[in-house]
Amino acid sequence: MKLGEVLKDRGLITDERIEVAIAHQKITGNLLGETLINLGFVSSNEIARTLAEQAGIPFVDLAEHIISEEAIRLVPKDVAQKTGFIPLRIQEDGSIEIGITNPSNIHAIDMVLKLTGKRPMVFMIDNQAFHESIERAYFFLENPIQQRINEAIDEIKIAQVLPAATVAALSENLIMEGIRRKATDVHISPEAETVNVFYRVDGVLQYGFCIPKTAKNGIISRLKIMAMLDISEQRLPQDGSFAMTFLNTKYEMRISTTPTIYGENIVLRVLAGTGQLLRVESLGFDESNTKRLKNLFHKPYGIILITGPTGSGKTTTLYAALREVNLLERNVLTVEDPVEYRLSFVKQTPVNLKAGYDFALAGKTFMRQDPDVMLLGEIRDEETAKIAVRASITGHLVLSTLHTNDAITSIPRLQDFNVDRFMLSSSLLAVIAQRLVRKLCPSCKQESEATEDDLALLNISGDVQPGVVESLKKVYRAKGCNMCNQSGYMGRTVVGEILVVNDEIRELVSENASLKKVKEAALNNGMVTLKASGIRKIIEGVTSIEEIARLIV
């Protein structure tokens, strides 16, 4: 079967989308598969999974896989690129795992056997991740960033006069180390005699480096210059941003400074360009909640809110929602801060506060753009909240995010914005509260008996379904191995609760009923709480008790 027919057979694309892709292909001259990816109809990851399933080859997601330096040392980069494979890791039995993008790539198997003398184990990988991963893996092999940082620290320790070039290189290497670790944030925190560097990876801070205090001012000044901030101002907080291109990927860096008793503390937020767009089925919700989400995102009007702390995957869920919308039949407009994903047939605009273009102004403008679906990046103030409600009541589907701890507390939060209770009850379709939890590494997770302390840590109460405690007798714990960089975890998945507003809840909201009554009605309507969803993940062996206790309990 041709690729288009295989994708259609698996429900990933439709005849209409294939026709649109062919029309674009005639203009661009690209291959059909490449055109489908560029248009956002299907991701490179989904095509690779489809090909792997068709060929009977196991699939490996490189986003959740650490490539072994020991393996890539055995194969020259130009050979790997030319032959179309990437070494992944060496197994204990002496065989070598390799990733290929073409299921019929017999030449790669012969080449690996010839170069290494090891028996290859073949896995399917997606083409886009292949090119990104091979560049990263060989770059960091040839440029040991950690070694360079430690050498710069040693040079600074013994220097009488601080070398400006060394400090500048150190500042940039600290950022590059964050990119190597796939960190979302880099913390540069001064102490009395030292400066500590931390990296937030998969939602958890990891200790990085200890730097002499003499380098503090140089590092801070360098980062401020890159973000065009005032280097002389050290008494007041400052915010800025700058862009950095690394291995053909553009990284947006948000920088925030704040004065402390030991000097300015800096946090860099690393926004890693365009990632892979996910489908609702791939987010991590269970089957019943996935069906609920798909039904909600097909609604013609109303408000759907996604809540959770920063870094809980709200934007990813929003874009998974947009992939459920028929973008060829419905006009979709978004305003974001910043635009993190690019999606064809969606009119995306970034917030520009200096020019006075915020969520509220964008919402007003969108009403004159003949919209069907509006995505407002965040409801931050009263004006934006009222525009969202007004747009939903006038026949538009509005998607947005809100900062609350769970789904139920979104209702009083919106009321704090002076949204009329009747208008809110009429417009609100659903609230999705979510967290991202780390998944246990499948290579090293250990089976264990749950103890009384474990159950106390989870603080199990009446909102958890009967029989859960009995199911928690056997659990899995994190251990740590080379595959997961000794962390015990690899990748993340979503844990969420979905409050669907039915007639009973609508009436309770309109009557300003207590949150307890609203929660009882939601549970009776089939809502599974965040804690209960997390405990399900523990029972299924996806994550650990400690991880759920850290994020939810």
Side-chain angles (χ1 to χ4, degrees), residues 17-28 35:
R17 293 193 169 192
I18 290 174
E19 287 175 15
V20 171
I22 290 170
H24 277 254
Q25 185 188 18
K26 288 176 181 175
I27 302 298
T28 62
T35 305

Side-chain angles (χ1 to χ4, degrees), residues 1 3 6-7 10 12 43-62 98-105 122-127:
M1 293 174 71
L3 177 62
V6 175
L7 294 171
R10 282 163 173 72
L12 294 173
S43 70
S44 178
N45 188 293
E46 288 163 349
I47 287 180
R49 286 179 187 272
T50 302
L51 292 173
E53 188 180 331
Q54 194 180 25
I57 300 172
F59 176 81
V60 163
D61 188 349
L62 290 180
I98 65 166
I100 58 173
T101 59
N102 184 346
S104 58
N105 188 356
V122 179
F123 293 85
M124 194 74 189
I125 56 176
D126 79 81
N127 194 50

Side-chain angles (χ1 to χ4, degrees), residues 187-402:
H187 293 243
I188 299 172
S189 307
E191 296 291 338
E193 297 177 353
T194 59
V195 176
N196 293 312
V197 181
F198 292 85
Y199 297 94
R200 187 174 294 280
V201 181
D202 286 342
V204 179
L205 283 179
Q206 294 180 355
Y207 189 76
F209 304 95
C210 182
I211 298 171
K213 190 68 175 279
T214 51
K216 176 182 78 73
N217 290 337
I219 292 171
I220 290 173
S221 295
R222 175 65 180 170
L223 294 173
K224 281 184 171 181
I225 289 167
M226 292 170 76
M228 293 189 289
L229 298 179
D230 184 354
I231 61 171
S232 64
E233 180 57 78
Q234 300 176 10
R235 300 164 301 169
L236 295 172
Q238 294 187 70
D239 292 307
S241 63
F242 61 92
M244 177 177 174
T245 301
F246 177 66
L247 298 177
N248 300 319
T249 300
K250 186 178 179 181
Y251 293 86
E252 295 286 342
M253 305 287 175
R254 297 287 186 87
I255 181 170
S256 173
T257 74
T258 190
T260 71
I261 56 173
Y262 296 120
E264 287 181 286
N265 188 81
I266 285 188
V267 176
L268 282 165
R269 165 61 56 88
V270 183
L271 300 170
T274 56
Q276 290 269 8
L277 288 168
L278 298 179
R279 291 186 185 270
V280 172
E281 296 91 339
S282 306
L283 294 174
F285 290 98
D286 59 41
E287 191 176 344
S288 61
N289 276 339
T290 298
K291 286 179 180 176
R292 281 186 166 199
L293 288 176
K294 289 173 80 74
N295 288 335
L296 285 168
F297 296 143
H298 287 127
K299 296 286 184 184
Y301 55 86
I303 298 177
I304 300 173
L305 293 175
I306 301 174
T307 76
T310 302
S312 59
K314 297 188 295 294
T315 303
T316 302
T317 303
L318 280 175
Y319 270 87
L322 290 186
R323 294 193 73 188
E324 290 297 317
V325 175
N326 189 336
L327 301 177
L328 300 178
E329 292 183 356
R330 304 179 78 183
N331 185 26
V332 180
L333 299 103
T334 79
V335 56
E336 304 160 71
D337 184 22
V339 175
E340 293 185 36
Y341 297 93
R342 268 61 171 175
L343 193 57
S344 296
F345 306 105
V346 175
K347 294 80 183 173
Q348 299 171 270
T349 62
V351 163
N352 188 338
L353 296 179
K354 288 181 180 177
Y357 187 70
D358 57 11
F359 291 117
L361 180 57
K364 286 179 185 175
T365 306
F366 287 176
M367 295 295 284
R368 296 189 290 272
Q369 287 279 314
D370 184 31
D372 293 298
V373 181
M374 294 165 51
L375 188 156
L376 305 178
E378 185 183 341
I379 294 179
R380 294 178 178 172
D381 51 47
E382 181 179 326
E383 190 178 4
T384 310
K386 289 182 175 178
I387 287 168
V389 169
R390 199 174 303 126
S392 65
I393 286 175
T394 53
H396 307 95
L397 182 63
V398 179
L399 309 174
S400 191
T401 68
L402 196 66

Side-chain angles (χ1 to χ4, degrees), residues 520-534:
E520 286 173 358
L523 290 171
N524 291 334
N525 191 38
M527 183 182 85
V528 178
T529 64
L530 275 170
K531 186 194 290 187
S533 296

Side-chain angles (χ1 to χ4, degrees), residues 477-491:
R477 302 188 191 278
K479 181 187 176 186
C481 65
N482 291 332
M483 278 294 292
C484 58
N485 206 17
Q486 306 302 326
S487 69
Y489 297 93
M490 187 179 290

